[in-house]
Amino acid sequence: MAANVQNVIMLVGDSLTQRGWEPGGFALLLAERYVRKLDVINRGLAGYQTDWAIPVCEQIFAKQHEQHQVPKVNLLTIWYGANDAAPAPNTRHVPRDRYKANLCHLIQMVKLPTSAYYSPETRIILITPPPVNTKQWGKPESPRVFETTRSYAEAVKEVGEKENVPVADIWTQIFDGAGRSEEGCKRYLIDGLHLNSDGYNIVFNAIVDIVERVYPELDTTESQYGVKMQNVFVPWDQVDLQNPRPSLLVRRKSRM
Amino acid sequence: MAANVQNVIMLVGDSLTQRGWEPGGFALLLAERYVRKLDVINRGLAGYQTDWAIPVCEQIFAKQHEQHQVPKVNLLTIWYGANDAAPAPNTRHVPRDRYKANLCHLIQMVKLPTSAYYSPETRIILITPPPVNTKQWGKPESPRVFETTRSYAEAVKEVGEKENVPVADIWTQIFDGAGRSEEGCKRYLIDGLHLNSDGYNIVFNAIVDIVERVYPELDTTESQYGVKMQNVFVPWDQVDLQNPRPSLLVRRKSRM
């Protein structure tokens, strides 16, 4: 019985997204920033890769005929690759070409007017997997290779170029922050693969930066365009004290 | 275009709820605990009191005829009083009797079978306002009185008794933790009124404790009843590798 009063930010991905609610995670930084404007829906599924993401997204994206009755997704982040890049024979391995094709498929589900899931008001941001620090990674049964993950991060940028979708290239930002050394990446990683709060801070800032530059209609601060998103419900000091009810029934469009 | 795949926890209240996404806040602790099971929807509105909550809740609770198409609210927290208890002539003051009547009204919107918002699957938890530390509170233009807020916290317990709704009595837990001294409460308060992460931790633990004792069907851990909530989408190591798609299309009921 949660009525549809706020649009949402939807986060799809693997464990890096699922853990976004942990202390310092990017989901909670977004939730704090967009409180009273957009709800944050975390659809991160640990261990998943892009082959498996497609049937999942067929269920978590609403079809066109359902869209009038569910929250609009104003911002969608797509963040896979950490498992796709696990080399064969890992059961979760997805070859690089198919990984790219799968990412294109997910984007086209939303952006293609002929798609059952077409949603023209949804802004998309692709996120690259972070670098792995194989010296720090303690699961020899599920190995990762530094250069392979780098190549999957490059693949995301190729998809972004092809599909005209902005990319939060956190692989490069983290590697640069680590002095361009694999071992230096431990500054941003808990276990060689998953991010700590410094790593998530890079992700959050990369998203905010893209919003400001590419999607200013989703900016929460006064931007160069002179607009910012409003709170859906009226601020308490603007409630009409003589006749509160009408002012409390106004639901402002959070996106101007 | 966010399809309806997870039920939700809805948090209604004032700034104490709105700030629940801040570091250490109870909203993010709940979101982390219930990831892949229930989404957390924060409907905290800073500065609001129970007179104003009623028209807001008429919009954020779905009516019966809409409920088949929106997420079910499995858990609803109702947390007002910090502004209601501001003494007159503060424009936000709500007299104690009307505060109690308003809380009863909000509960009956959900629990009364004749209500347009009737939602039998919604479990409700009332939360008391925390103690104020008037020595720490730095807004003389909006004064608070220690004994008045205490009396509003008592009012919540009276409402809980009358309506048979469990109460997270964080007023008492914080006051006890502070050695039963007003000034000692600063250990849990940022500014004499709003909670720090230690204060929010008490709120979170009080909710978890009520869930375990009163609403075990919402427990995420193995309880004495031997049940726990499941993730909606299948864990990655249970995906059928020979034929992944059918296993990925199963959406388990998160509540057993």
Side-chain angles (χ1 to χ4, degrees), chain A residues 1-3 18 36 39 43 48 58-60 62 71 234 245 248 251, chain B residues 1-3 18 36 39 43 48 58-60 62 71 119 234 245 248 251:
Chain A
M1 49 133 237
Q18 181 178 324
R36 299 182 63 169
D39 295 321
R43 293 285 176 267
Y48 278 54
E58 288 170 6
Q59 298 166 83
I60 65 181
V234 68
R245 191 174 175 87
L248 293 163
R251 296 206 306 250
Chain B
M1 51 132 235
Q18 181 178 324
R36 298 181 63 170
D39 294 322
R43 292 284 176 269
Y48 277 54
E58 289 170 5
Q59 299 166 81
I60 64 182
S119 175
V234 69
R245 191 174 175 86
L248 293 163
R251 295 206 305 250

PDB file of all heavy atoms in Angstrom, chain A residues 1-3 18 36 39 43 48 58-60 62 71 234 245 248 251, chain B residues 1-3 18 36 39 43 48 58-60 62 71 119 234 245 248 251:
ATOM      1  N   MET A   1       0.822  -1.215   0.000  1.00  0.00           N
ATOM      2  CA  MET A   1       0.000   0.000   0.000  1.00  0.00           C
ATOM      3  C   MET A   1       0.859   1.269   0.000  1.00  0.00           C
ATOM      4  O   MET A   1       0.487   2.278   0.542  1.00  0.00           O
ATOM      5  CB  MET A   1      -0.948  -0.003   1.189  1.00  0.00           C
ATOM      6  CG  MET A   1      -0.302  -0.310   2.520  1.00  0.00           C
ATOM      7  SD  MET A   1      -0.836   0.872   3.781  1.00  0.00           S
ATOM      8  CE  MET A   1       0.723   1.516   4.309  1.00  0.00           C
ATOM      9  N   ALA A   2       2.046   1.152  -0.630  1.00  0.00           N
ATOM     10  CA  ALA A   2       2.890   2.333  -0.795  1.00  0.00           C
ATOM     11  C   ALA A   2       2.484   3.036  -2.082  1.00  0.00           C
ATOM     12  O   ALA A   2       2.796   2.559  -3.166  1.00  0.00           O
ATOM     13  CB  ALA A   2       4.362   1.928  -0.860  1.00  0.00           C
ATOM     14  N   ALA A   3       1.772   4.147  -1.949  1.00  0.00           N
ATOM     15  CA  ALA A   3       1.323   4.847  -3.144  1.00  0.00           C
ATOM     16  C   ALA A   3       2.517   5.410  -3.894  1.00  0.00           C
ATOM     17  O   ALA A   3       3.600   5.596  -3.342  1.00  0.00           O
ATOM     18  CB  ALA A   3       0.350   5.962  -2.764  1.00  0.00           C
ATOM     19  N   GLN A  18      24.821  -4.399  -4.655  1.00  0.00           N
ATOM     20  CA  GLN A  18      24.087  -4.891  -3.478  1.00  0.00           C
ATOM     21  C   GLN A  18      24.666  -4.310  -2.191  1.00  0.00           C
ATOM     22  O   GLN A  18      23.934  -3.964  -1.265  1.00  0.00           O
ATOM     23  CB  GLN A  18      24.117  -6.421  -3.443  1.00  0.00           C
ATOM     24  CG  GLN A  18      23.359  -6.993  -2.248  1.00  0.00           C
ATOM     25  CD  GLN A  18      23.328  -8.522  -2.224  1.00  0.00           C
ATOM     26  OE1 GLN A  18      23.247  -9.160  -3.258  1.00  0.00           O
ATOM     27  NE2 GLN A  18      23.379  -9.102  -1.035  1.00  0.00           N
ATOM     28  N   ARG A  36      13.309  12.938  -0.130  1.00  0.00           N
ATOM     29  CA  ARG A  36      12.127  13.763  -0.452  1.00  0.00           C
ATOM     30  C   ARG A  36      12.026  14.105  -1.934  1.00  0.00           C
ATOM     31  O   ARG A  36      11.138  14.875  -2.331  1.00  0.00           O
ATOM     32  CB  ARG A  36      12.072  15.044   0.394  1.00  0.00           C
ATOM     33  CG  ARG A  36      11.969  14.735   1.889  1.00  0.00           C
ATOM     34  CD  ARG A  36      11.866  15.957   2.740  1.00  0.00           C
ATOM     35  NE  ARG A  36      10.660  16.720   2.463  1.00  0.00           N
ATOM     36  CZ  ARG A  36      10.242  17.722   3.227  1.00  0.00           C
ATOM     37  NH1 ARG A  36      10.934  18.062   4.312  1.00  0.00           N
ATOM     38  NH2 ARG A  36       9.154  18.382   2.921  1.00  0.00           N
ATOM     39  N   ASP A  39      13.254   8.118  -4.612  1.00  0.00           N
ATOM     40  CA  ASP A  39      13.599   6.951  -3.806  1.00  0.00           C
ATOM     41  C   ASP A  39      14.710   6.165  -4.493  1.00  0.00           C
ATOM     42  O   ASP A  39      14.777   6.132  -5.728  1.00  0.00           O
ATOM     43  CB  ASP A  39      12.372   6.037  -3.640  1.00  0.00           C
ATOM     44  CG  ASP A  39      11.267   6.703  -2.839  1.00  0.00           C
ATOM     45  OD1 ASP A  39      11.582   7.410  -1.863  1.00  0.00           O
ATOM     46  OD2 ASP A  39      10.082   6.506  -3.187  1.00  0.00           O
ATOM     47  N   ARG A  43      18.780  -2.904  -6.734  1.00  0.00           N
ATOM     48  CA  ARG A  43      18.539  -4.222  -7.333  1.00  0.00           C
ATOM     49  C   ARG A  43      19.869  -4.908  -7.657  1.00  0.00           C
ATOM     50  O   ARG A  43      20.004  -5.612  -8.656  1.00  0.00           O
ATOM     51  CB  ARG A  43      17.664  -4.100  -8.582  1.00  0.00           C
ATOM     52  CG  ARG A  43      16.231  -3.657  -8.315  1.00  0.00           C
ATOM     53  CD  ARG A  43      15.374  -4.771  -7.722  1.00  0.00           C
ATOM     54  NE  ARG A  43      14.038  -4.280  -7.389  1.00  0.00           N
ATOM     55  CZ  ARG A  43      13.683  -3.820  -6.189  1.00  0.00           C
ATOM     56  NH1 ARG A  43      14.557  -3.794  -5.202  1.00  0.00           N
ATOM     57  NH2 ARG A  43      12.450  -3.410  -5.971  1.00  0.00           N
ATOM     58  N   TYR A  48      25.978 -12.108  -9.635  1.00  0.00           N
ATOM     59  CA  TYR A  48      25.344 -12.123 -10.956  1.00  0.00           C
ATOM     60  C   TYR A  48      26.249 -11.488 -12.006  1.00  0.00           C
ATOM     61  O   TYR A  48      27.091 -10.646 -11.708  1.00  0.00           O
ATOM     62  CB  TYR A  48      24.010 -11.378 -10.911  1.00  0.00           C
ATOM     63  CG  TYR A  48      22.850 -12.205 -10.388  1.00  0.00           C
ATOM     64  CD1 TYR A  48      22.914 -12.848  -9.155  1.00  0.00           C
ATOM     65  CD2 TYR A  48      21.674 -12.345 -11.140  1.00  0.00           C
ATOM     66  CE1 TYR A  48      21.849 -13.609  -8.688  1.00  0.00           C
ATOM     67  CE2 TYR A  48      20.596 -13.099 -10.672  1.00  0.00           C
ATOM     68  CZ  TYR A  48      20.690 -13.726  -9.442  1.00  0.00           C
ATOM     69  OH  TYR A  48      19.629 -14.466  -8.985  1.00  0.00           O
ATOM     70  N   GLU A  58      14.138  -8.104 -17.064  1.00  0.00           N
ATOM     71  CA  GLU A  58      12.799  -8.266 -17.651  1.00  0.00           C
ATOM     72  C   GLU A  58      11.729  -8.232 -16.561  1.00  0.00           C
ATOM     73  O   GLU A  58      10.565  -7.950 -16.848  1.00  0.00           O
ATOM     74  CB  GLU A  58      12.712  -9.598 -18.414  1.00  0.00           C
ATOM     75  CG  GLU A  58      13.509  -9.578 -19.714  1.00  0.00           C
ATOM     76  CD  GLU A  58      13.619 -10.958 -20.353  1.00  0.00           C
ATOM     77  OE1 GLU A  58      12.982 -11.910 -19.842  1.00  0.00           O
ATOM     78  OE2 GLU A  58      14.357 -11.075 -21.353  1.00  0.00           O
ATOM     79  N   GLN A  59      12.137  -8.512 -15.328  1.00  0.00           N
ATOM     80  CA  GLN A  59      11.170  -8.510 -14.232  1.00  0.00           C
ATOM     81  C   GLN A  59      11.186  -7.207 -13.433  1.00  0.00           C
ATOM     82  O   GLN A  59      10.167  -6.818 -12.881  1.00  0.00           O
ATOM     83  CB  GLN A  59      11.469  -9.683 -13.280  1.00  0.00           C
ATOM     84  CG  GLN A  59      11.335 -11.030 -13.973  1.00  0.00           C
ATOM     85  CD  GLN A  59      11.943 -12.148 -13.144  1.00  0.00           C
ATOM     86  OE1 GLN A  59      11.300 -12.665 -12.237  1.00  0.00           O
ATOM     87  NE2 GLN A  59      13.183 -12.501 -13.426  1.00  0.00           N
ATOM     88  N   ILE A  60      12.345  -6.550 -13.368  1.00  0.00           N
ATOM     89  CA  ILE A  60      12.404  -5.354 -12.520  1.00  0.00           C
ATOM     90  C   ILE A  60      12.156  -4.067 -13.301  1.00  0.00           C
ATOM     91  O   ILE A  60      11.905  -3.034 -12.700  1.00  0.00           O
ATOM     92  CB  ILE A  60      13.730  -5.278 -11.719  1.00  0.00           C
ATOM     93  CG1 ILE A  60      14.933  -5.117 -12.624  1.00  0.00           C
ATOM     94  CG2 ILE A  60      13.882  -6.488 -10.824  1.00  0.00           C
ATOM     95  CD1 ILE A  60      16.250  -5.074 -11.868  1.00  0.00           C
ATOM     96  N   ALA A  62       9.507  -2.165 -15.599  1.00  0.00           N
ATOM     97  CA  ALA A  62       8.083  -2.314 -15.908  1.00  0.00           C
ATOM     98  C   ALA A  62       7.876  -2.229 -17.418  1.00  0.00           C
ATOM     99  O   ALA A  62       8.561  -1.493 -18.128  1.00  0.00           O
ATOM    100  CB  ALA A  62       7.280  -1.226 -15.214  1.00  0.00           C
ATOM    101  N   PRO A  71       6.332   3.674 -10.145  1.00  0.00           N
ATOM    102  CA  PRO A  71       7.206   4.855 -10.151  1.00  0.00           C
ATOM    103  C   PRO A  71       8.063   4.913 -11.419  1.00  0.00           C
ATOM    104  O   PRO A  71       8.553   3.898 -11.909  1.00  0.00           O
ATOM    105  CB  PRO A  71       8.101   4.638  -8.921  1.00  0.00           C
ATOM    106  CG  PRO A  71       7.377   3.663  -8.071  1.00  0.00           C
ATOM    107  CD  PRO A  71       6.602   2.790  -9.001  1.00  0.00           C
ATOM    108  N   VAL A 234       5.714  19.911   0.411  1.00  0.00           N
ATOM    109  CA  VAL A 234       6.087  21.294   0.700  1.00  0.00           C
ATOM    110  C   VAL A 234       6.973  21.375   1.962  1.00  0.00           C
ATOM    111  O   VAL A 234       6.731  20.668   2.942  1.00  0.00           O
ATOM    112  CB  VAL A 234       4.789  22.135   0.855  1.00  0.00           C
ATOM    113  CG1 VAL A 234       4.010  21.753   2.108  1.00  0.00           C
ATOM    114  CG2 VAL A 234       5.066  23.611   0.830  1.00  0.00           C
ATOM    115  N   ARG A 245      -4.366  22.305   4.929  1.00  0.00           N
ATOM    116  CA  ARG A 245      -4.639  21.119   4.116  1.00  0.00           C
ATOM    117  C   ARG A 245      -4.350  21.296   2.616  1.00  0.00           C
ATOM    118  O   ARG A 245      -3.656  20.464   2.023  1.00  0.00           O
ATOM    119  CB  ARG A 245      -6.091  20.658   4.351  1.00  0.00           C
ATOM    120  CG  ARG A 245      -6.374  19.304   3.767  1.00  0.00           C
ATOM    121  CD  ARG A 245      -7.774  18.783   4.137  1.00  0.00           C
ATOM    122  NE  ARG A 245      -8.005  17.542   3.451  1.00  0.00           N
ATOM    123  CZ  ARG A 245      -7.647  16.359   3.923  1.00  0.00           C
ATOM    124  NH1 ARG A 245      -7.102  16.257   5.105  1.00  0.00           N
ATOM    125  NH2 ARG A 245      -7.847  15.265   3.216  1.00  0.00           N
ATOM    126  N   LEU A 248      -0.762  21.089   1.858  1.00  0.00           N
ATOM    127  CA  LEU A 248      -0.173  19.769   2.104  1.00  0.00           C
ATOM    128  C   LEU A 248      -0.571  18.753   1.038  1.00  0.00           C
ATOM    129  O   LEU A 248       0.021  17.676   0.953  1.00  0.00           O
ATOM    130  CB  LEU A 248      -0.586  19.265   3.492  1.00  0.00           C
ATOM    131  CG  LEU A 248      -0.007  20.078   4.652  1.00  0.00           C
ATOM    132  CD1 LEU A 248      -0.768  19.810   5.939  1.00  0.00           C
ATOM    133  CD2 LEU A 248       1.479  19.754   4.839  1.00  0.00           C
ATOM    134  N   ARG A 251       1.516  18.097  -4.496  1.00  0.00           N
ATOM    135  CA  ARG A 251       2.743  17.315  -4.705  1.00  0.00           C
ATOM    136  C   ARG A 251       3.459  17.914  -5.900  1.00  0.00           C
ATOM    137  O   ARG A 251       3.006  17.824  -7.030  1.00  0.00           O
ATOM    138  CB  ARG A 251       2.421  15.841  -4.962  1.00  0.00           C
ATOM    139  CG  ARG A 251       1.778  15.209  -3.744  1.00  0.00           C
ATOM    140  CD  ARG A 251       2.014  13.717  -3.690  1.00  0.00           C
ATOM    141  NE  ARG A 251       1.603  13.045  -4.899  1.00  0.00           N
ATOM    142  CZ  ARG A 251       0.559  12.230  -4.982  1.00  0.00           C
ATOM    143  NH1 ARG A 251      -0.196  11.985  -3.947  1.00  0.00           N
ATOM    144  NH2 ARG A 251       0.272  11.635  -6.105  1.00  0.00           N
TER     145      ARG A 251
ATOM    146  N   MET B   1       9.254   3.237 -14.383  1.00  0.00           N
ATOM    147  CA  MET B   1       9.266   1.876 -14.930  1.00  0.00           C
ATOM    148  C   MET B   1       9.906   0.881 -13.963  1.00  0.00           C
ATOM    149  O   MET B   1      10.484  -0.095 -14.366  1.00  0.00           O
ATOM    150  CB  MET B   1       9.970   1.835 -16.286  1.00  0.00           C
ATOM    151  CG  MET B   1      11.339   2.478 -16.310  1.00  0.00           C
ATOM    152  SD  MET B   1      12.526   1.387 -17.127  1.00  0.00           S
ATOM    153  CE  MET B   1      13.770   1.276 -15.869  1.00  0.00           C
ATOM    154  N   ALA B   2       9.769   1.195 -12.640  1.00  0.00           N
ATOM    155  CA  ALA B   2      10.246   0.253 -11.629  1.00  0.00           C
ATOM    156  C   ALA B   2       9.123  -0.730 -11.333  1.00  0.00           C
ATOM    157  O   ALA B   2       8.159  -0.384 -10.673  1.00  0.00           O
ATOM    158  CB  ALA B   2      10.648   1.002 -10.357  1.00  0.00           C
ATOM    159  N   ALA B   3       9.261  -1.954 -11.831  1.00  0.00           N
ATOM    160  CA  ALA B   3       8.207  -2.939 -11.600  1.00  0.00           C
ATOM    161  C   ALA B   3       8.137  -3.278 -10.114  1.00  0.00           C
ATOM    162  O   ALA B   3       9.100  -3.087  -9.369  1.00  0.00           O
ATOM    163  CB  ALA B   3       8.463  -4.193 -12.423  1.00  0.00           C
ATOM    164  N   GLN B  18      13.436  11.686   8.374  1.00  0.00           N
ATOM    165  CA  GLN B  18      14.073  12.163   7.141  1.00  0.00           C
ATOM    166  C   GLN B  18      15.589  11.985   7.198  1.00  0.00           C
ATOM    167  O   GLN B  18      16.230  11.633   6.212  1.00  0.00           O
ATOM    168  CB  GLN B  18      13.720  13.637   6.890  1.00  0.00           C
ATOM    169  CG  GLN B  18      14.346  14.182   5.611  1.00  0.00           C
ATOM    170  CD  GLN B  18      13.964  15.627   5.322  1.00  0.00           C
ATOM    171  OE1 GLN B  18      12.832  16.039   5.585  1.00  0.00           O
ATOM    172  NE2 GLN B  18      14.890  16.385   4.769  1.00  0.00           N
ATOM    173  N   ARG B  36      17.536  -7.031  -0.891  1.00  0.00           N
ATOM    174  CA  ARG B  36      17.015  -8.182  -1.664  1.00  0.00           C
ATOM    175  C   ARG B  36      15.747  -8.774  -1.058  1.00  0.00           C
ATOM    176  O   ARG B  36      15.247  -9.790  -1.550  1.00  0.00           O
ATOM    177  CB  ARG B  36      18.079  -9.268  -1.869  1.00  0.00           C
ATOM    178  CG  ARG B  36      19.273  -8.741  -2.666  1.00  0.00           C
ATOM    179  CD  ARG B  36      20.326  -9.784  -2.914  1.00  0.00           C
ATOM    180  NE  ARG B  36      19.817 -10.885  -3.735  1.00  0.00           N
ATOM    181  CZ  ARG B  36      20.607 -11.819  -4.255  1.00  0.00           C
ATOM    182  NH1 ARG B  36      21.906 -11.784  -4.055  1.00  0.00           N
ATOM    183  NH2 ARG B  36      20.089 -12.772  -4.993  1.00  0.00           N
ATOM    184  N   ASP B  39      12.293  -3.209   0.174  1.00  0.00           N
ATOM    185  CA  ASP B  39      12.838  -1.875  -0.066  1.00  0.00           C
ATOM    186  C   ASP B  39      12.443  -0.956   1.086  1.00  0.00           C
ATOM    187  O   ASP B  39      11.357  -1.109   1.665  1.00  0.00           O
ATOM    188  CB  ASP B  39      12.284  -1.304  -1.376  1.00  0.00           C
ATOM    189  CG  ASP B  39      12.758  -2.095  -2.588  1.00  0.00           C
ATOM    190  OD1 ASP B  39      13.920  -2.525  -2.603  1.00  0.00           O
ATOM    191  OD2 ASP B  39      11.946  -2.267  -3.525  1.00  0.00           O
ATOM    192  N   ARG B  43       9.670   8.358   4.147  1.00  0.00           N
ATOM    193  CA  ARG B  43       8.706   9.458   3.963  1.00  0.00           C
ATOM    194  C   ARG B  43       8.759  10.405   5.159  1.00  0.00           C
ATOM    195  O   ARG B  43       7.753  10.957   5.594  1.00  0.00           O
ATOM    196  CB  ARG B  43       7.299   8.906   3.760  1.00  0.00           C
ATOM    197  CG  ARG B  43       7.107   8.146   2.454  1.00  0.00           C
ATOM    198  CD  ARG B  43       6.989   9.073   1.245  1.00  0.00           C
ATOM    199  NE  ARG B  43       6.904   8.324   0.000  1.00  0.00           N
ATOM    200  CZ  ARG B  43       7.973   7.985  -0.746  1.00  0.00           C
ATOM    201  NH1 ARG B  43       9.182   8.345  -0.381  1.00  0.00           N
ATOM    202  NH2 ARG B  43       7.806   7.311  -1.861  1.00  0.00           N
ATOM    203  N   TYR B  48       7.459  18.495  10.248  1.00  0.00           N
ATOM    204  CA  TYR B  48       6.044  18.134  10.249  1.00  0.00           C
ATOM    205  C   TYR B  48       5.624  17.593  11.616  1.00  0.00           C
ATOM    206  O   TYR B  48       6.417  17.056  12.372  1.00  0.00           O
ATOM    207  CB  TYR B  48       5.761  17.080   9.176  1.00  0.00           C
ATOM    208  CG  TYR B  48       5.561  17.652   7.775  1.00  0.00           C
ATOM    209  CD1 TYR B  48       6.517  18.493   7.209  1.00  0.00           C
ATOM    210  CD2 TYR B  48       4.426  17.360   7.031  1.00  0.00           C
ATOM    211  CE1 TYR B  48       6.344  19.017   5.933  1.00  0.00           C
ATOM    212  CE2 TYR B  48       4.236  17.875   5.753  1.00  0.00           C
ATOM    213  CZ  TYR B  48       5.197  18.703   5.210  1.00  0.00           C
ATOM    214  OH  TYR B  48       5.011  19.213   3.941  1.00  0.00           O
ATOM    215  N   GLU B  58      -2.612  10.393   3.597  1.00  0.00           N
ATOM    216  CA  GLU B  58      -3.683  10.106   2.631  1.00  0.00           C
ATOM    217  C   GLU B  58      -3.118   9.979   1.217  1.00  0.00           C
ATOM    218  O   GLU B  58      -3.743   9.379   0.346  1.00  0.00           O
ATOM    219  CB  GLU B  58      -4.745  11.217   2.664  1.00  0.00           C
ATOM    220  CG  GLU B  58      -5.583  11.201   3.929  1.00  0.00           C
ATOM    221  CD  GLU B  58      -6.476  12.432   4.072  1.00  0.00           C
ATOM    222  OE1 GLU B  58      -6.508  13.258   3.131  1.00  0.00           O
ATOM    223  OE2 GLU B  58      -7.115  12.574   5.134  1.00  0.00           O
ATOM    224  N   GLN B  59      -1.937  10.553   1.007  1.00  0.00           N
ATOM    225  CA  GLN B  59      -1.322  10.477  -0.320  1.00  0.00           C
ATOM    226  C   GLN B  59      -0.278   9.371  -0.426  1.00  0.00           C
ATOM    227  O   GLN B  59      -0.059   8.832  -1.513  1.00  0.00           O
ATOM    228  CB  GLN B  59      -0.667  11.825  -0.662  1.00  0.00           C
ATOM    229  CG  GLN B  59      -1.691  12.962  -0.698  1.00  0.00           C
ATOM    230  CD  GLN B  59      -1.021  14.329  -0.703  1.00  0.00           C
ATOM    231  OE1 GLN B  59      -0.569  14.811  -1.738  1.00  0.00           O
ATOM    232  NE2 GLN B  59      -0.905  14.931   0.462  1.00  0.00           N
ATOM    233  N   ILE B  60       0.396   9.062   0.683  1.00  0.00           N
ATOM    234  CA  ILE B  60       1.479   8.074   0.575  1.00  0.00           C
ATOM    235  C   ILE B  60       1.018   6.659   0.901  1.00  0.00           C
ATOM    236  O   ILE B  60       1.726   5.713   0.598  1.00  0.00           O
ATOM    237  CB  ILE B  60       2.715   8.472   1.416  1.00  0.00           C
ATOM    238  CG1 ILE B  60       2.411   8.507   2.902  1.00  0.00           C
ATOM    239  CG2 ILE B  60       3.264   9.813   0.961  1.00  0.00           C
ATOM    240  CD1 ILE B  60       3.596   8.945   3.754  1.00  0.00           C
ATOM    241  N   ALA B  62      -1.545   3.787  -0.150  1.00  0.00           N
ATOM    242  CA  ALA B  62      -2.402   3.507  -1.309  1.00  0.00           C
ATOM    243  C   ALA B  62      -3.802   3.120  -0.832  1.00  0.00           C
ATOM    244  O   ALA B  62      -3.970   2.482   0.205  1.00  0.00           O
ATOM    245  CB  ALA B  62      -1.811   2.381  -2.138  1.00  0.00           C
ATOM    246  N   PRO B  71       3.600  -1.700  -4.333  1.00  0.00           N
ATOM    247  CA  PRO B  71       4.229  -2.592  -3.355  1.00  0.00           C
ATOM    248  C   PRO B  71       3.443  -2.635  -2.054  1.00  0.00           C
ATOM    249  O   PRO B  71       2.929  -1.623  -1.574  1.00  0.00           O
ATOM    250  CB  PRO B  71       5.606  -1.949  -3.127  1.00  0.00           C
ATOM    251  CG  PRO B  71       5.842  -1.069  -4.298  1.00  0.00           C
ATOM    252  CD  PRO B  71       4.492  -0.600  -4.752  1.00  0.00           C
ATOM    253  N   SER B 119      -5.065  -2.139   5.160  1.00  0.00           N
ATOM    254  CA  SER B 119      -3.961  -2.942   4.625  1.00  0.00           C
ATOM    255  C   SER B 119      -3.586  -3.995   5.670  1.00  0.00           C
ATOM    256  O   SER B 119      -2.699  -3.789   6.494  1.00  0.00           O
ATOM    257  CB  SER B 119      -2.769  -2.030   4.315  1.00  0.00           C
ATOM    258  OG  SER B 119      -1.665  -2.801   3.904  1.00  0.00           O
ATOM    259  N   VAL B 234      16.947 -15.530  -6.711  1.00  0.00           N
ATOM    260  CA  VAL B 234      17.711 -16.706  -6.285  1.00  0.00           C
ATOM    261  C   VAL B 234      19.182 -16.341  -6.024  1.00  0.00           C
ATOM    262  O   VAL B 234      19.775 -15.565  -6.774  1.00  0.00           O
ATOM    263  CB  VAL B 234      17.574 -17.807  -7.366  1.00  0.00           C
ATOM    264  CG1 VAL B 234      18.289 -17.429  -8.653  1.00  0.00           C
ATOM    265  CG2 VAL B 234      18.029 -19.157  -6.879  1.00  0.00           C
ATOM    266  N   ARG B 245      17.744 -19.669 -17.219  1.00  0.00           N
ATOM    267  CA  ARG B 245      16.618 -18.748 -17.310  1.00  0.00           C
ATOM    268  C   ARG B 245      15.447 -19.082 -16.383  1.00  0.00           C
ATOM    269  O   ARG B 245      14.972 -18.194 -15.660  1.00  0.00           O
ATOM    270  CB  ARG B 245      16.159 -18.648 -18.781  1.00  0.00           C
ATOM    271  CG  ARG B 245      15.176 -17.522 -19.019  1.00  0.00           C
ATOM    272  CD  ARG B 245      14.840 -17.329 -20.492  1.00  0.00           C
ATOM    273  NE  ARG B 245      13.815 -16.326 -20.611  1.00  0.00           N
ATOM    274  CZ  ARG B 245      14.041 -15.024 -20.675  1.00  0.00           C
ATOM    275  NH1 ARG B 245      15.284 -14.568 -20.688  1.00  0.00           N
ATOM    276  NH2 ARG B 245      13.046 -14.172 -20.730  1.00  0.00           N
ATOM    277  N   LEU B 248      16.085 -18.090 -12.894  1.00  0.00           N
ATOM    278  CA  LEU B 248      16.184 -16.636 -12.703  1.00  0.00           C
ATOM    279  C   LEU B 248      14.821 -15.957 -12.772  1.00  0.00           C
ATOM    280  O   LEU B 248      14.682 -14.793 -12.399  1.00  0.00           O
ATOM    281  CB  LEU B 248      17.121 -16.040 -13.753  1.00  0.00           C
ATOM    282  CG  LEU B 248      18.593 -16.471 -13.601  1.00  0.00           C
ATOM    283  CD1 LEU B 248      19.375 -16.197 -14.874  1.00  0.00           C
ATOM    284  CD2 LEU B 248      19.236 -15.740 -12.420  1.00  0.00           C
ATOM    285  N   ARG B 251      10.504 -15.731  -8.628  1.00  0.00           N
ATOM    286  CA  ARG B 251      10.590 -14.698  -7.576  1.00  0.00           C
ATOM    287  C   ARG B 251       9.963 -15.300  -6.336  1.00  0.00           C
ATOM    288  O   ARG B 251       8.758 -15.524  -6.284  1.00  0.00           O
ATOM    289  CB  ARG B 251       9.863 -13.428  -8.007  1.00  0.00           C
ATOM    290  CG  ARG B 251      10.529 -12.783  -9.204  1.00  0.00           C
ATOM    291  CD  ARG B 251      10.275 -11.300  -9.255  1.00  0.00           C
ATOM    292  NE  ARG B 251       8.883 -10.971  -9.220  1.00  0.00           N
ATOM    293  CZ  ARG B 251       8.204 -10.475 -10.247  1.00  0.00           C
ATOM    294  NH1 ARG B 251       8.784 -10.245 -11.393  1.00  0.00           N
ATOM    295  NH2 ARG B 251       6.942 -10.191 -10.119  1.00  0.00           N
TER     296      ARG B 251
END
